[in-house]
Amino acid sequence: MTDASSSPRPHAIMGLVWALLFIGLPMGVAGWESRHRPIDAHASLAAAQARLKRPSTPPPPVEPVQIYALARDQAMAVNADIPFSRDPNPAARPFLFAGSETDLARATDCLAAAELYEAGDDATGEQAVAQVVLNRVRHPAFPKSVCGVVFQGQERTTGCQFTFTCDGALARTPGQAAWERARQIARGALAGQVYRPVGHATHYHTDWVVPYWSGSLDKIAAVGTHLFFRWRGWWGTPPAFRKSVDPGEPLIARIARFSIAHQDAAPLPLDATPAPATESAAALAARPQQAIGTESLGRTVAGVRLIAIAPGAKSFLVELPRSGAPDGWPALARTFCAGRPECRIMAWQAGSAPTGLPLGDAQLAAMSFAYIHNVGSGLQRALWNCAQTPRAARSDCMRQRTPTIAPTAAPANAGLAGVRRKKRFETVRITSPDTASGPPGAP
């Protein structure tokens, strides 16, 4: 018989085994699961999307910008309490514009205007704004064109989607260098460059204002002092951003002052009665087209100095010679407009000609001569600035331009008020609240 004091008891051994199973094994598994592993964002997003189905209801409504009446410190505290979404934030697919050269030029300038007026002359902020605009173009809740998205609701004082289109900001003409930088960023975005940090965001605001919609969307990114949001559920996932894009970009007369691509929409001071021209538009369009490209800029062509050419070579800005009879100015059409179904010439006398785009109100008022034709509509007009060159027939005269006046600011608690507070344009910065002209107003 074995001495019980010298051998382990059977139940003690089994207790140890069970302790290892119930304590040691779970601890080992936990340690294995908690080891550092790279996060597969795409796999996580795919799993999340598998749990989401496209709703049968229409896309969510796009609300105009309205903000709570909060002091800056209060607004910043509210925004800080809204947590960032823990769901993946994948980058948007590259946006490759597929329209005509004319449509591309219009889209570029609409996008550049949104960047510059919303973010100021700041590359990071402009890229973020451009990405939000293009995200909206792809989403079925918004218009199908770049210009349509940017200027959505512009006709309403409190219903626009980007506040610069309805708060009087467009009365300020951007500087030429800043405008060209914005256009360069816009061209890159339309050619497939993606600003990854904002993902599929369709909304944004500065952290010192609180829009009514901010608590109902997912906060996904911060860029400087700006917060970016996307819709919750299926409408904020990548499959929702598959809308077909309309290649036809509308003309926007409100930026024609500094966008030559939109000048066909500008209410040029042309009388309804065609002025006599040296040759009909159809006959001019049937002539061989002369090669006038960027290599001709700054040079003398047909006796005038070429200042700028619109995309598609449909519009030409020129400086007239110091000598020469005004009656001979329509002859410019034979050189510049030959072979072109659509053509426009804008001419200034020496000493008052602009150096390039954009054009200010004063430069437009100083324009000495304009010619335009469109074979499709049968339009053909030649007009003089009769304050400079009196004409016998009033129908030969341009209409007088009046300076653009910014509308009176709305009360602080009305509509879009409080979104943009200061007046300086060129000092707008998305990364610094101290130098900002005011926060962007995309809802």
Side-chain angles (χ1 to χ4, degrees):
M1 175 181 289
T2 305
D3 188 350
S5 62
S6 62
S7 300
R9 295 178 182 178
H11 63 269
I13 297 175
M14 292 304 297
L16 179 61
V17 170
W18 286 111
L20 289 173
L21 288 173
F22 283 99
I23 298 175
L25 183 60
M27 290 180 62
V29 172
W32 170 261
E33 291 295 333
S34 63
R35 78 194 192 282
H36 176 73
R37 289 176 296 177
I39 298 174
D40 187 348
H42 292 289
S44 299
L45 182 61
Q49 290 175 0
R51 295 191 298 269
L52 294 171
K53 294 182 179 180
R54 177 171 181 166
S56 58
T57 56
V62 182
E63 303 293 340
V65 176
Q66 289 184 312
I67 63 173
Y68 289 102
L70 297 175
R72 179 180 179 125
D73 291 344
Q74 291 177 306
M76 293 179 71
V78 170
N79 288 322
D81 286 341
I82 299 175
F84 285 95
S85 171
R86 300 181 65 180
D87 291 334
N89 182 29
R93 293 177 298 115
F95 187 103
L96 299 174
F97 191 87
S100 67
E101 184 179 356
T102 298
D103 287 329
L104 176 59
R106 294 173 185 171
T108 298
D109 286 2
C110 285
L111 190 57
E115 297 165 12
L116 195 53
Y117 281 92
E118 289 288 296
D121 188 13
D122 176 79
T124 300
E126 290 179 69
Q127 290 176 71
V129 170
Q131 189 62 58
V132 169
V133 171
L134 297 184
N135 287 347
R136 287 187 166 207
V137 175
R138 276 181 166 155
H139 199 281
F142 299 94
K144 295 184 177 181
S145 66
V146 175
C147 293
V149 163
V150 172
F151 287 89
Q152 184 180 12
Q154 62 167 323
E155 69 282 356
R156 302 189 299 270
T157 57
T158 60
C160 56
Q161 292 296 311
F162 293 89
T163 53
F164 80 94
T165 68
C166 64
D167 70 353
L170 281 170
R172 303 192 300 273
T173 301
Q176 183 172 355
W179 174 241
E180 288 304 320
R181 285 190 289 269
R183 295 181 75 240
Q184 184 63 33
I185 291 172
R187 283 192 289 266
L190 293 169
Q193 293 181 13
V194 175
Y195 186 70
R196 301 180 64 87
V198 301
H200 291 81
T202 49
H203 299 66
Y204 64 87
H205 67 82
T206 56
D207 64 2
W208 60 83
V209 298
V210 181
Y212 284 103
W213 47 255
S214 62
S216 62
L217 276 68
D218 281 341
K219 184 168 74 171
I220 59 173
V223 179
T225 60
H226 291 70
L227 305 174
F228 292 79
F229 299 76
R230 70 183 174 209
W231 271 306
R232 291 174 179 167
W234 190 88
W235 293 110
T237 63
F241 294 79
R242 293 291 192 272
K243 180 187 68 174
S244 60
V245 178
D246 186 352
E249 290 288 335
L251 285 161
I252 306 297
R254 300 182 64 201
I255 62 173
R257 187 175 74 258
F258 51 85
S259 167
I260 199 167
H262 288 272
Q263 284 180 359
D264 284 344
L268 270 183
L270 300 174
D271 192 90
T273 304
T278 56
E279 192 172 3
S280 71
L284 270 177
R287 283 172 168 255
Q289 185 178 120
Q290 296 199 35
I292 302 175
T294 55
E295 70 283 352
S296 301
L297 291 173
R299 298 180 179 178
T300 299
V301 179
V304 298
R305 185 174 67 87
L306 183 60
I307 299 171
I309 306 174
K314 294 180 179 180
S315 299
F316 303 89
L317 276 63
V318 303
E319 183 183 59
L320 297 162
R322 294 187 180 275
S323 59
D327 284 341
W329 292 344
L332 293 171
R334 289 200 293 268
T335 297
F336 288 92
C337 297
R340 305 179 198 276
E342 299 177 44
C343 186
R344 176 184 296 232
I345 298 169
M346 303 170 71
W348 286 261
Q349 291 185 0
S352 63
T355 57
L357 294 170
L359 300 175
D361 286 335
Q363 292 169 319
L364 286 170
M367 186 167 52
S368 302
F369 174 76
Y371 171 86
I372 184 172
H373 80 224
N374 185 308
V375 174
S377 64
L379 170 69
Q380 184 181 37
R381 298 168 186 166
L383 278 296
W384 287 257
N385 185 331
C386 291
Q388 301 174 8
T389 307
R391 302 291 294 179
R394 186 176 178 181
S395 61
D396 288 354
C397 297
M398 296 178 178
R399 298 191 187 111
Q400 288 297 112
R401 286 185 176 270
T402 56
T404 304
I405 308 261
T408 304
N413 60 351
L416 297 174
V419 176
R420 187 177 278 106
R421 294 184 178 89
K422 299 182 183 178
K423 300 295 184 184
R424 291 289 300 275
F425 177 79
E426 289 293 335
T427 57
V428 179
R429 288 304 216 216
I430 198 170
T431 54
S432 172
D434 297 329
T435 59
S437 151

